[in-house]
Amino acid sequence: MDFFGTFWALVPAVLAIALALITKEVYSSLFIGVLAGGLLATGFSIPGTFNTVINDGLIKAVSGNAGIFVFLAILGIIVALINKAGAAKAFGDFADRHIKTKAGALICTCIFGILIFIDDYFNCLTVGAVMTPVTDKKKISRAKLAYIIDATAAPVCMIAPISSWAAAVSGYVDSEKMSGFELFVKAIPFNFYSILTLGFVIMISLLGFDYGKMRKSEMKAAAGDLGADAAMVEDEDPETNDASSDTMNAVKTEQERRGKSKGHAKVLDMLAPILVLIGLCVVALIYNGGFFDSESANYHDFIAAFGDTDATVALPLGGLATLILIVIYLAIRKLVSLKDAMTCIPAGFKTMVPAMLILTLATALKNMTGLLGSTEFVESFMSGASDSLYKMLPAVIFLVAVVISFSTGTSWGTFGILIPIVTSIFKVGDPLLYVGVSACLAGAVCGDHCSPISDTTIMSSAGAQCNHVEHVSTQLPYAITVAGFSFVAFIVSGFFPNIYVVMPVMLVLMFGFLLVMKYLAKKKEA
């Protein structure tokens, strides 16, 4: 039986996701999905399956993510250095004095996430490193922190003209009449999922209300159980580092570690490394894109250089330069000795191992679905739908993008598949072109936001040091809520593409929905 280009191409990913949600064991679930993909790709040949899994799956996954692994390791080391110097505690004490409420801590986390719009990986880990001590003191669960991080990572990057995501989207557009960057910018107002997600985060933060599994996590946090993942919490004493210890012990270990910090660390010691990291990463991104190369077509062209950069090379470059400067800075400030700095290297790397392992298996699973012809299956489905559902196409595109992104765990791969199809269906000048492209991008972000095998979801768990399956299960009801309103918005926009009417109406309806949910929750508790 030939499985190529059929629904079976998505079965391994669906199987892995289902197992992860049911068993709450992400490593075994992903590996079973990879194995199932190998079996289908080789016609159930046992030797062929192992050869495919190793060569086309795992080895390609490691080599393809090598730059991200380096960046993750560097960020882990930077976080360990900041904690060792006592800067995290100093910032936490400062925030504790100035941020008086839980809502204030959530809004600050949201604002900080929006400000770091350059790249989603960078966003996830930086926001997590800076805001974890603040949210811990306000008894905000790690699951809630992970959701805020995730909600201000990919959704923000997708509506930021200057970001690695804008560059990636621009590269997928092949049109002589309109540049990819121009199409991306004009599609931003119709990206309902990204914009409504930001609105949703602000609403639930101000209302002080949660529902679904997030409500249970927040109730536990109020009682002292923040829900930190023991496997991701750094312990200074290797002999006492037990990954099987319970969540409360993990939180206690982290709080004790921060309590041992140097007394003369200042808030600047926390902010300076982050600002330097942001600045050098931006410089590295345009450097890699040829901004400083006089022989490059992108010489002194910021937008073109950003559009032609490779974040997997540039971010490790900026991160390494930052790491060297941070070690020198902390040594001059006499906060960390050279010996202490060196101990932070394995400690920081260790905190990122779970994220690296999940990312490797998730990418291997994506490789398996690629071997089974997931792209061809989607193309045939979309070409059949375009003839009979023209006005409904934005909503259809949104749903298809959600399914692909959720199943494969890659939003970039999703809009890489769909954008050429969407631009071939709609003509330049047709208002539905921008709505259709936005539906593709919004669906890709939505599926990525929901999927347990998504790299951004994994990075959000790592940034918040939250159990990965808990992050996915608590985030899912929120993401589905926003997806529902987005789907309705794309249906309406297919017939009436006026953003000045549709967006405000959707925001008001969503706020009304939350008020009703809050009322019902109070009535149930009464």
Side-chain angles (χ1 to χ4, degrees):
M1 181 177 177
D2 186 10
F3 301 105
F4 186 86
T6 66
F7 172 75
W8 287 96
L10 301 179
V11 167
V14 173
L15 174 64
I17 292 167
L19 287 174
L21 294 175
I22 293 170
T23 66
K24 302 190 185 303
E25 292 290 339
V26 67
Y27 303 120
S28 58
S29 300
L30 285 172
F31 182 72
I32 290 172
V34 173
L35 203 60
L39 285 169
L40 292 173
T42 59
F44 295 94
S45 166
I46 301 301
T49 295
F50 279 94
N51 182 63
T52 300
V53 166
I54 295 296
N55 291 299
D56 297 321
L58 297 173
I59 291 178
K60 281 189 176 181
V62 173
S63 61
N65 286 315
I68 297 303
F69 289 161
V70 172
F71 185 57
L72 284 174
I74 290 172
L75 284 179
I77 296 167
I78 290 175
V79 171
L81 281 168
I82 290 173
N83 285 329
K84 191 78 172 179
K89 183 177 185 300
F91 182 82
D93 292 340
F94 172 82
D96 193 42
R97 292 192 302 269
H98 293 82
I99 300 175
K100 302 299 182 182
T101 64
K102 183 176 178 179
L106 291 171
I107 294 296
C108 284
T109 305
C110 178
I111 292 172
F112 192 45
I114 292 172
L115 292 176
I116 305 180
F117 54 80
I118 297 296
D119 183 77
D120 56 328
Y121 289 170
F122 181 39
N123 178 303
C124 291
L125 296 167
T126 304
V127 175
V130 173
M131 296 307 298
T132 296
V134 179
T135 56
D136 281 358
K137 289 203 171 188
K138 297 302 177 186
K139 292 188 176 181
I140 296 170
S141 68
R142 294 298 180 86
K144 186 68 169 287
L145 174 61
Y147 169 69
I148 302 294
I149 292 172
D150 212 348
T152 56
V156 171
C157 292
M158 188 55 84
I159 56 175
I162 302 176
S163 69
S164 56
W165 286 56
V169 173
S170 300
Y172 287 121
V173 177
D174 183 18
S175 174
E176 296 179 356
K177 297 182 179 180
M178 180 180 292
S179 70
F181 185 78
E182 182 184 359
L183 180 58
F184 176 83
V185 171
K186 289 185 176 181
I188 288 175
F190 290 98
N191 197 318
F192 293 110
Y193 184 80
S194 294
I195 298 172
L196 290 178
T197 294
L198 296 179
F200 186 88
V201 169
I202 294 171
M203 289 175 193
I204 61 170
S205 298
L206 295 177
L207 289 173
F209 167 70
D210 291 285
Y211 61 93
K213 290 189 176 181
M214 187 71 79
R215 187 172 181 82
K216 295 179 181 178
S217 294
E218 284 295 280
M219 291 172 67
K220 288 181 180 178
D225 182 0
L226 299 178
D229 187 0
M232 290 185 179
V233 175
E234 173 198 349
D235 188 338
E236 286 184 341
D237 184 359
E239 294 180 3
T240 64
N241 184 25
D242 182 6
S244 64
S245 61
D246 60 26
T247 303
M248 282 304 296
N249 286 337
V251 176
K252 183 179 178 182
T253 298
E254 184 169 278
Q255 290 171 341
E256 288 175 349
R257 168 171 52 78
R258 286 180 177 145
K260 296 175 184 177
S261 62
K262 309 288 184 180
H264 56 285
K266 298 179 180 179
V267 174
L268 182 63
D269 300 320
M270 177 74 171
L271 298 180
I274 301 301
L275 293 174
V276 170
L277 180 62
I278 294 172
L280 289 181
C281 282
V282 172
V283 172
L285 285 165
I286 61 174
Y287 169 79
N288 182 263
F291 182 82
F292 301 104
D293 185 0
S294 59
E295 297 181 359
S296 171
N298 302 331
Y299 181 59
H300 285 181
D301 187 337
F302 186 89
I303 300 299
F306 216 97
D308 202 26
T309 193
D310 183 352
T312 62
V313 175
L315 291 178
L317 180 62
L320 181 59
T322 302
L323 178 59
I324 294 171
L325 291 176
I326 289 174
V327 172
I328 296 172
Y329 171 78
L330 294 178
I332 292 174
R333 289 272 293 121
K334 296 182 180 179
L335 294 175
V336 174
S337 66
L338 181 61
K339 182 179 179 181
D340 285 341
M342 293 305 102
T343 62
C344 289
I345 294 177
F349 184 88
K350 182 175 64 176
T351 62
M352 292 299 169
V353 169
M356 292 179 184
L357 182 55
I358 295 173
L359 189 57
T360 298
L361 292 171
T363 305
L365 181 59
K366 181 186 71 174
N367 294 343
M368 293 298 104
T369 60
L371 288 175
L372 288 168
S374 57
T375 302
E376 287 75 8
F377 170 68
V378 173
E379 287 178 349
S380 62
F381 177 84
M382 286 301 299
S383 61
S386 63
D387 296 331
S388 57
L389 298 171
Y390 190 79
K391 291 291 185 181
M392 289 288 292
L393 268 182
V396 172
I397 292 168
F398 176 74
L399 288 180
V400 171
V402 169
V403 171
I404 298 172
S405 185
F406 182 81
S407 302
T408 61
T410 167
S411 47
W412 285 31
T414 300
F415 53 66
I417 294 170
L418 291 181
I419 285 179
I421 300 173
V422 173
T423 53
S424 66
I425 294 173
F426 300 108
K427 304 296 182 183
V428 175
D430 186 344
L432 287 187
L433 172 63
Y434 310 124
V435 181
V437 170
S438 289
C440 168
L441 303 181
V445 172
C446 178
D448 179 275
H449 207 184
C450 298
S451 177
I453 61 174
S454 157
D455 47 4
T456 311
T457 309
I458 295 164
M459 294 300 99
S460 299
S461 300
Q465 295 184 349
C466 171
N467 177 273
H468 183 58
V469 174
E470 182 183 5
H471 168 45
V472 174
S473 60
T474 53
Q475 174 171 268
L476 203 55
Y478 289 0
I480 291 174
T481 298
V482 179
F485 284 99
S486 300
F487 178 66
V488 173
F490 281 118
I491 292 176
V492 175
S493 296
F495 296 90
F496 184 65
N498 189 322
I499 192 62
Y500 299 106
V501 174
V502 180
M503 184 66 77
V505 169
M506 288 299 113
L507 286 169
V508 170
L509 290 176
M510 192 166 67
F511 185 69
F513 168 82
L514 289 176
L515 288 177
V516 171
M517 290 291 290
K518 186 175 182 179
Y519 170 77
L520 293 176
K522 284 186 175 181
K523 188 176 180 181
K524 185 178 180 181
E525 291 175 355

